[in-house]
Amino acid sequence: MHSFFTSESVTEGHPDKVADQIADTILDDILKNDPSARVACEVICTTGMVLVFGEITTTHYVDLQRIVRKKVEEIGYTRGKYGFDAENLAVLSAIDSQSKDIAMGVDEKENHEQGAGDQGMMFGYACDETEEYMPLSITLAHQLAKRLAEVRKKGILEYLRPDGKTQVTVEYDENGKVCRIDTILISSQHAPDVDFQKMKEDIKKEVVDVVVPKNLIDENTKFLFNPTGRFVIGGPAADSGLTGRKIIVDTYGGAACHGGGSFSGKDPSKVDRSACYMARYIAKNIVAAGLCSKCQIQLSYAIGVKDPISVLVDTYHTARVEEEKIERVVRKIFPLTPKGIIEYFDLKRPIYAQTAAYGHFGRNDLDLPWEKLDKAEELRRLLKE
């Protein structure tokens, strides 16, 4: 029996992604100057306004006005008629310092190694479906969204505006292998005077045909472009944006579990972020080692406690080695404490803004430490012993 799976992505001009990018740009600015800062930065953006709030403890002066306006300009909101533009924004701040009760469990001191910044469970996932070790649906959705922004910024399709969404439905055969692309959906904000038919033809030619492999498309593949027929009002003027509202876009497109915590605006002492990166790294290396076709890792933590409460390896019945053996080796060779993860990946540095659009995983276009495959050989060797 064939099955269908769908994932979506959004462009950098989507209101929620605007918020994520501002939050991570603020984080990068702080870490560049104060690597040990504690940052839990949230952002709301709406018509003519950006509100930065949350908890930040740092020795660095953060020029919020400059950071916010520059990022909004880079995204492409540069004209007043968009209802949201870099020059005329009201940038508001409601920042407090980190709670001393939380800091007490996280701070490293004599006889106490750095503990987790919160309780919770974190997931990482990988599969052998694509060279990125990601589900095909989310990989293509990200690539389409990124290309949509590229043709706008390069003036190839000059009538496009920053907001946009993509969605890809993949058909699988009875063995769970990719057969074809069933549906491609693209919604892009545009100028009011654009010819709708021409826009559909342009997006097919300049976006879909450039990104999607031709062998996955057939005569029954459905293409849906701006299904309502009009998308002129967009961005924060049409729909308010908030950090952390696109966590499935940030991760695996719905193919794997998510613990609930978002990434953007959080320094690496927050296991919501750092432990998810480690879980992805573990899962990707397990699949790359040929131990299974797909793998999900769950890590769980208690606030103030350094070691994970639990470690789970789930191979969806595709394991070529007993899962219990894989789990024992995982505990042996991967650092799982907050301090260990931060040091192993060198996370106290400004690398986060680049992840705030088009996904945190499967990013072969970026040099991200949690995407490396340098543990696959060691996993193979230890599991042969």
Side-chain angles (χ1 to χ4, degrees):
M1 182 177 177
H2 286 217
S3 60
F4 299 82
F5 189 81
T6 302
S7 296
E8 75 158 353
S9 183
V10 298
T11 67
E12 60 208 61
H14 185 280
D16 294 330
K17 275 289 142 208
V18 172
D20 285 341
Q21 289 168 93
I22 291 171
D24 270 341
T25 303
I26 291 168
L27 172 64
D28 277 0
D29 182 74
I30 293 171
L31 291 179
K32 183 179 179 180
N33 296 278
D34 181 11
S36 296
R38 294 287 162 73
V39 183
C41 176
E42 306 282 353
V43 175
I44 292 172
C45 50
T46 186
T47 306
M49 186 187 82
V50 169
L51 169 62
V52 182
F53 63 106
E55 296 79 45
I56 298 177
T57 301
T58 181
T59 58
H60 171 60
Y61 169 71
V62 186
D63 189 347
L64 291 177
Q65 294 283 338
R66 179 188 61 81
I67 292 171
V68 171
R69 294 181 194 281
K70 183 179 179 183
K71 177 51 64 176
V72 171
E73 181 180 12
E74 287 174 359
I75 292 168
Y77 287 110
T78 56
R79 304 183 68 180
K81 64 181 180 180
Y82 294 169
F84 185 82
D85 73 289
E87 187 176 345
N88 298 303
L89 281 177
V91 180
L92 309 178
S93 171
I95 297 291
D96 206 342
S97 59
Q98 184 183 61
S99 162
K100 292 181 179 178
D101 292 347
I102 295 175
M104 184 171 61
V106 180
D107 290 344
E108 190 163 12
K109 46 189 176 290
E110 189 177 354
N111 299 321
H112 179 77
E113 184 179 316
Q114 177 178 341
D118 200 355
Q119 69 177 52
M121 63 282 190
M122 296 80 204
F123 292 92
Y125 177 82
C127 61
D128 60 7
E129 209 167 284
T130 63
E131 65 178 22
E132 294 87 359
Y133 292 89
M134 292 285 285
L136 179 62
S137 53
I138 188 63
T139 296
L140 289 179
H142 282 323
Q143 291 174 355
L144 288 167
K146 192 173 184 182
R147 177 63 180 170
L148 202 58
E150 183 180 20
V151 297
R152 169 179 61 86
K153 289 183 169 182
K154 288 183 175 180
I156 297 171
L157 302 181
E158 72 284 349
Y159 52 77
L160 296 184
R161 290 180 177 173
D163 198 358
K165 302 179 81 170
T166 63
Q167 190 167 288
V168 177
T169 301
V170 176
E171 181 178 348
Y172 295 84
D173 66 18
E174 57 275 4
N175 297 314
K177 300 298 182 183
V178 172
C179 293
R180 55 185 286 275
I181 302 299
D182 182 74
T183 307
I184 292 174
L185 165 60
I186 297 179
S187 296
S188 179
Q189 186 186 13
H190 57 83
D193 56 352
V194 67
D195 179 87
F196 185 59
Q197 185 59 36
K198 182 180 187 306
M199 183 177 67
K200 291 202 297 184
E201 293 170 0
D202 286 349
I203 290 176
K204 174 67 166 58
K205 176 184 175 183
E206 298 292 347
V207 179
V208 175
D209 291 350
V210 171
V211 168
V212 182
K214 290 180 173 56
N215 65 305
L216 295 176
I217 293 176
D218 59 26
E219 67 277 7
N220 296 315
T221 299
K222 297 179 284 293
F223 300 96
L224 303 174
F225 302 133
N226 281 21
T228 65
R230 184 177 171 85
F231 186 4
V232 173
I233 303 171
D239 186 12
S240 60
L242 176 65
T243 41
R245 257 199 323 214
K246 286 291 175 284
I247 56 178
I248 299 304
V249 171
D250 286 339
T251 53
Y252 308 102
C257 296
H258 196 292
S262 64
F263 300 154
S264 291
K266 294 179 181 177
D267 76 81
S269 73
K270 279 71 174 174
V271 282
D272 277 341
R273 180 166 221 158
S274 53
C276 281
Y277 291 166
M278 178 53 72
R280 159 65 176 176
Y281 177 64
I282 295 168
K284 186 176 181 181
N285 277 271
I286 287 173
V287 174
L291 304 177
C292 56
S293 298
K294 62 173 71 173
C295 180
Q296 179 171 269
I297 301 294
Q298 186 200 51
L299 305 174
S300 69
Y301 292 85
I303 188 168
V305 179
K306 68 182 181 70
D307 293 307
I309 301 300
S310 65
V311 178
L312 174 68
V313 177
D314 181 2
T315 64
Y316 302 84
H317 306 292
T318 68
R320 299 171 186 105
V321 180
E322 289 180 23
E323 289 180 348
E324 286 186 10
K325 290 183 178 179
I326 299 174
E327 183 186 314
R328 285 199 295 271
V329 171
V330 164
R331 288 178 177 271
K332 181 177 180 180
I333 70 173
F334 291 97
L336 301 178
T337 66
K339 181 181 179 181
I341 295 169
I342 290 168
E343 291 181 350
Y344 188 79
F345 287 148
D346 188 17
L347 293 179
K348 291 184 178 182
R349 54 193 173 109
I351 60 172
Y352 301 105
Q354 62 186 343
T355 67
Y358 314 118
H360 293 243
F361 308 118
R363 295 296 300 274
N364 290 350
D365 57 321
L366 303 176
D367 182 22
L368 301 174
W370 53 87
E371 290 297 312
K372 296 186 184 304
L373 294 173
D374 51 358
K375 287 291 187 181
E377 183 55 43
E378 186 176 2
L379 281 163
R380 276 193 294 267
R381 178 177 57 80
L382 288 173
L383 284 162
K384 282 181 181 178
E385 294 176 354

